[in-house]
Amino acid sequence: MAKFWLVAWYEFRRHALRKQFIWALLSVPGIIALTIGMIRLAVALEDRSDAVGYVDQSGVLERAIPAPAPGSKPDNPVSGSGSVVPLVAYPDELSARVALDSGEIQAFYMVSADYRETKRVQLFYIEPPAGVVYQQFQRFLMINLLDDLPAEVAARAVAGSNLAVRWPDDGPGGGREFSQSTFLNNFVPLMIGMAMVALVMFASGYLISAVAEEKENRTMEVLVTSVSPDQLVAGKVVGILAVMLVQLIAWVVTGVLAVWIGGGWLNIEALQNVTVDLRLVGLMALVAVPTLVMISALMTAVGATVTEVQEGQQVTGLFIIPIVLPLWLLQVILERPDSPLAVALTLIPPCSVITTSVRLGFTSVPGWQIAVGSAIATVGALVSLWLAARAFRLGMLQYGKALNWRHLLAPAAAGPGRRSV
């Protein structure tokens, strides 16, 4: 067992200390930070707080009841990310135009005298105002049209509807809510599934070369004198999985910081009210972890069957295709998440990861389906580890030649003293 951990530690250190890995580790936080910065810059450029004027020729705005501030109450679905633009009344169009030309206001509205019949409102500006101006004046106009109602009722009517869809708590993924303020939370399972795809693509080169390099430079003979093939293969797989875990932790930490800074400090609406349901994370881990081990072991087995690392990297796409297959059928799965196709893809690895993440994000999945999918993936992981070790043992007998998969899948492997035919 000590040799197994030595192999795992060596494989982890060999890849984790590479410059390419360090740059890849830092690239994701850098890209996310740049994206948040660009979003904040776009919001800042659009978020002008200059006053906006209005001319009321109809008498609708005579009382000038102010609209409720965005997000001022828990039941107000209006976003609070935008600034409140001051509204200034002008007696006539001429005075408003003078204020606009002098730069005192960024625009002004003119409510026509026959507004109650025609609903005609004109907007005058030199440069188009920010989107918050349209929203704020619309709320201002609406609450003054409802001046015959109690103030609380009028404010709630102006706030609009806040539709929330809730799943019953009758299985994994149930008991959740999908609404405007929490929509990002429902994409957490899908993010976990996509993270696995990214991890496989990121580590595919490491997995293929885990054994192929030793076979290519003929150090395999030296290694097997001190460690068994099973320990060597298992140690390499665990070491590379540890590298992938470090990458995953870096992504998680980056995501937490992005939500904390973007939603809390920069007031980016999409990053506010984000919560993570640990139940969903646990359910996804039951399916994703054994599937990831299975894919890693199979890629290692491919590395043991080829004669050159480049040859093994050419077949990486064969592992990516079944993982992303549910994305090609995404519309079908979303329209009928409980169809036989969706259930079948939930049970069959490696399709099960993306399928489970999509279904958990948008519906409730029966617990037995996740349990069976996890069990099948676990069996697949154990078989794949055995297959990788067997490919390693047979590969020692065929230097310079690609290992025949027909021999690899034969009922019995050739012993070290004879060659299978």
Side-chain angles (χ1 to χ4, degrees), residues 331-378:
Q331 183 176 355
V332 178
I333 297 174
L334 289 176
E335 290 178 352
R336 300 184 60 191
D338 298 321
S339 64
L341 175 63
V343 174
L345 293 177
T346 302
L347 304 180
I348 302 175
C351 303
S352 55
V353 176
I354 297 295
T355 307
T356 303
S357 66
V358 171
R359 296 181 67 198
L360 282 176
F362 297 97
T363 188
S364 177
V365 182
W368 70 266
Q369 295 181 10
I370 296 179
V372 173
S374 177
I376 295 176
T378 301

Side-chain angles (χ1 to χ4, degrees), residues 4-24:
F4 160 78
W5 289 113
L6 285 175
V7 173
W9 170 246
Y10 168 78
E11 202 68 27
F12 171 79
R13 185 178 56 185
R14 184 164 70 100
H15 295 297
L17 298 181
R18 287 183 176 180
K19 292 182 179 180
Q20 298 91 330
F21 175 78
I22 296 176
W23 280 112

Side-chain angles (χ1 to χ4, degrees), residues 57-82:
Q57 298 177 338
S58 64
V60 172
L61 304 176
E62 182 178 359
R63 295 179 58 189
I65 303 173
S72 58
K73 294 183 179 180
D75 61 347
N76 188 350
V78 181
S79 169
S81 59

